[in-house]
Amino acid sequence: MSSSESVAVENGRESFVGKVRAALKQGSAFLVVGALGFVVDAGTYNLLVFWGGEGVLFHQPLLAKIIAILVATVVTYFGNKWWTFAHKKGGSPTREYVLYALFNVVAIGLQLGCLGFSRYVLHLSSPLADNISGTLIGQIVAVVFRYWAYDKFVFTGARDQSD
């Protein structure tokens, strides 16, 4: 192998390693932001429903859940915009947020679909089955979908070449 071929192979490896590192960095940031969103969702819900024994929305848990999801969506949007996908130049904030919310609704549907499949097609109704299908499998499917959708459709600005 000539020295120029050796340099090309070495540059190819560095390029591949750089891409893997960037993907791991972005994926890790996405998971951290998602975990923060989960905490915000659960915390907001519990404050609204159970603060002081009976919270302000104790008798309206669905409304409390909607508010908690909206608050968590705002938090995760900015976390993903400013950290996970910060290397992409911004587009229209309104467009980004509408698509972000739309893809979150689709992801919730995917989670519900996993639970519904387990319940109504496989006829599994134990707490274990519900948690495996709806929470574990559903959440994995939803997270993979969100990551793909946010990267491809929501945060679509040109990549910042300084990274």
Side-chain angles (χ1 to χ4, degrees):
M1 184 181 311
S2 72
S3 66
S4 63
E5 289 173 332
S6 172
V7 168
V9 167
E10 188 62 33
N11 286 340
R13 272 192 225 136
E14 287 176 16
S15 175
F16 175 74
V17 170
K19 287 179 182 180
V20 169
R21 283 184 182 156
L24 288 173
K25 178 182 172 187
Q26 182 173 301
S28 297
F30 181 77
L31 292 175
V32 169
V33 169
L36 177 62
F38 176 81
V39 169
V40 169
D41 179 348
T44 302
Y45 178 81
N46 282 289
L47 286 173
L48 291 171
V49 175
F50 300 115
W51 180 264
E54 288 190 13
V56 295
L57 293 178
F58 182 78
H59 297 289
Q60 296 177 307
L62 295 180
L63 177 59
K65 191 59 175 171
I66 290 168
I67 292 168
I69 289 170
L70 290 174
V71 171
T73 299
V74 170
V75 169
T76 58
Y77 170 77
F78 286 108
N80 281 315
K81 181 174 182 62
W82 293 336
W83 187 27
T84 307
F85 299 102
H87 61 283
K88 293 186 173 188
K89 294 181 181 175
S92 163
T94 302
R95 180 197 145 283
E96 281 181 356
Y97 198 75
V98 167
L99 286 174
Y100 192 87
L102 175 71
F103 287 122
N104 271 301
V105 169
V106 171
I108 291 167
L110 290 171
Q111 277 187 270
L112 293 175
C114 290
L115 177 60
F117 181 80
S118 174
R119 275 283 179 125
Y120 304 114
V121 175
L122 301 178
H123 303 289
L124 301 171
S125 60
S126 71
L128 180 62
D130 280 1
N131 280 293
I132 289 173
S133 62
T135 304
L136 181 65
I137 295 171
Q139 190 69 267
I140 290 169
V141 170
V143 164
V144 169
F145 170 76
R146 282 182 178 113
Y147 185 77
W148 170 79
Y150 297 166
D151 190 49
K152 295 296 179 194
F153 300 106
V154 178
F155 302 108
T156 59
R159 295 189 183 274
D160 185 355
Q161 299 302 320
S162 64
D163 278 341

